[in-house]
Amino acid sequence: MVYKAEYIWIDGTEPTAKLRSKTKILPDDAELPIWGFDGSSTNQATGDKSDCVLKPIASYPDPIRGGDNKLVMCEVMLVSGKPHPSNTRAAAARTARKYKKHEPLFGIEQEYTFMKDGRPYGFPPAGYPEPQGGYYCGVGEDEIHGRAIVEDHLDACIAAGIGISGINAEVMPGQWEFQVGPLGPLEVADQLWVSRWLLYRIAEDYGVAVTIDAKPAKGDWNGAGAHTNFSTIEMREDGGYKYIEAGAKALGKKAQVHIENYGVGVEDRLTGAHETQRFDQFSYGVSDRGASIRIPWQVAVDKKGYLEDRRPNANMDPYVVTRLMVDTVCSAMK
Ligand code: ADP
Ligand code: MN
Ligand code: MN
Ligand code: MN
């Protein structure tokens, strides 16, 4: 017998990469082989040298097709065997190896917006819905749009073995969040990409699109972020608070390079309003949702735990963000 392996990869679209996938039929007992694709159709090659290589890095039970079928997260390689320039995982893997002894963990809060007929799901055909107020964690047909899709996605992530840790409705109609983690830097990034793919794929069947655009509605509406919660073993142990503060300070020293890599349109989202700090300012504080880095209240009480970087956009690349955070915080640790 045979099974279906859905090979998933990240393309070369600028400024924000897209997910792509295609299906390979494999004999039941077959290992996952490398595979090729036409890079000239994904902004990853020119037509005369179009072959790119898909190298499987992780596989998950396919919750949509069920049975023995698999989802296969891949990284893109050149035919020479070197990582393709669009492959941000290779550098993330090097950094993860270098700082392994600090046992970094991440929990990423992925916000996103359902789109229907070219506007956020739940927005009227003309004008605007009621201002923000009742939508966040709301209940009821007047507040909530797309819950069936969200529930299907949650079940699919659990069935695929993704370390999803929660979901909630967000402050704008049609806007939602799921969290992945805590997991190591590569695992969280691989699984975030796969869970994004599952979301787009499942919403297809409902005739609804998904965007991770950081500012899907102009005006007095929250943007969409990907708050990135981070800890090292030192931060999680008794007396960890001083490492959390040191981590926040280290992130402050490199604020500009982080902002530049936290997703397209980060300046439009980090305005200083809507629970954000301005993109060109840096601050950290306990419970402060207007800071760049928030130390959760419970962490301040326990004097150990983790910090939350509130700056990454929903459209960020988790390989890039986790690599930078590990590098900045761990390289500053004695
Ligand atoms: P918020 O209160 O900001 O909305 P959430 O509950 O949405 O926070 O997300 C917090 C995330 O932080 C979760 O994914 C959780 O698993 C993760 N997390 C918890 N503890 C740690 C830790 N020690 N290190 C890294 N991430 C953590
Ligand atoms: Mn959250
Ligand atoms: Mn949120
Ligand atoms: Mn948060």
Side-chain angles (χ1 to χ4, degrees), residues 2-334:
V2 296
Y3 70 95
K4 301 171 202 163
E6 189 72 8
Y7 277 52
I8 301 171
W9 76 97
I10 301 157
D11 78 359
T13 303
E14 305 262 5
T16 301
K18 292 179 192 293
L19 282 162
R20 308 272 179 154
S21 73
K22 57 176 185 163
T23 308
K24 193 170 188 62
I25 307 301
L26 289 165
D28 263 347
D29 53 355
E31 296 285 303
L32 293 165
I34 61 165
W35 198 14
F37 69 97
D38 168 15
S40 70
S41 299
T42 62
N43 306 302
Q44 280 163 309
T46 50
D48 55 333
K49 287 183 191 146
S50 65
D51 285 327
C52 291
V53 175
L54 294 175
K55 183 174 157 199
I57 48 184
S59 78
Y60 312 85
D62 183 339
I64 297 173
R65 289 172 168 155
D68 291 333
N69 302 307
K70 288 179 183 160
L71 301 177
V72 183
M73 189 64 205
C74 298
E75 62 179 338
V76 178
M77 310 299 279
L78 299 166
V79 287
S80 67
K82 293 207 175 75
H84 188 276
S86 66
N87 176 343
T88 52
R89 190 183 194 273
R94 279 195 297 278
T95 299
R97 265 198 303 279
K98 183 169 173 191
Y99 295 111
K100 197 168 180 274
K101 70 164 196 230
H102 297 291
E103 296 179 33
L105 286 179
F106 286 91
I108 299 179
E109 305 168 50
Q110 175 70 63
E111 294 180 342
Y112 61 92
T113 309
F114 289 129
M115 300 293 287
K116 178 89 181 159
D117 303 324
R119 56 181 186 272
Y121 197 27
F123 273 46
Y128 290 93
E130 290 289 304
Q132 287 181 178
Y135 306 114
Y136 171 75
C137 297
V139 63
E141 186 269 343
D142 49 340
E143 313 277 13
I144 288 298
H145 305 273
R147 194 189 298 275
I149 314 170
V150 171
E151 291 288 330
D152 269 7
H153 175 252
L154 176 60
D155 287 341
C157 286
I158 293 169
I162 285 173
I164 193 163
S165 46
I167 53 170
N168 60 267
E170 270 301 337
V171 290
M172 190 179 91
Q175 200 180 51
W176 294 83
E177 168 181 317
F178 64 88
Q179 303 103 32
V180 177
L183 289 165
L186 290 176
E187 291 75 20
V188 83
D190 293 342
Q191 294 185 26
L192 191 70
W193 277 113
V194 173
S195 56
R196 283 175 176 176
W197 185 90
L198 279 169
L199 182 61
Y200 296 121
R201 172 63 192 83
I202 289 166
E204 263 180 29
D205 291 348
Y206 289 85
V208 172
V210 177
T211 181
I212 54 171
D213 191 300
K215 204 74 187 167
K218 307 289 164 234
D220 200 16
W221 302 96
N222 275 46
H227 297 167
T228 302
N229 300 274
F230 171 67
S231 63
T232 60
I233 179 78
E234 295 85 353
M235 295 178 187
R236 293 190 295 270
E237 285 176 343
D238 284 345
Y241 200 76
K242 65 173 182 288
Y243 295 99
I244 295 171
E245 279 204 293
K249 284 188 182 128
L251 289 164
K253 286 207 184 100
K254 299 226 172 122
Q256 197 180 334
V257 62
H258 280 253
I259 285 289
E260 283 166 5
N261 287 281
Y262 276 9
V264 171
V266 75
E267 301 85 357
D268 299 330
R269 176 176 145 261
L270 300 181
T271 57
H274 301 115
E275 306 175 71
T276 66
Q277 172 60 286
R278 282 181 56 87
F279 70 94
D280 55 1
Q281 286 172 32
F282 181 87
S283 61
Y284 70 92
V286 174
S287 294
D288 188 353
R289 287 174 199 273
S292 318
I293 306 287
R294 166 176 153 258
I295 299 173
W297 167 79
Q298 190 64 47
V299 172
V301 171
D302 296 343
K303 297 268 175 258
K304 62 180 174 186
Y306 62 99
L307 57 80
E308 176 191 46
D309 192 339
R310 300 179 57 78
R311 298 169 296 170
N313 268 358
N315 60 3
M316 59 78 149
D317 177 349
Y319 294 126
V320 174
V321 170
T322 59
R323 172 178 59 79
L324 279 171
M325 288 183 74
V326 169
D327 201 23
T328 297
V329 172
C330 294
S331 68
M333 280 171 94
K334 295 291 155 320

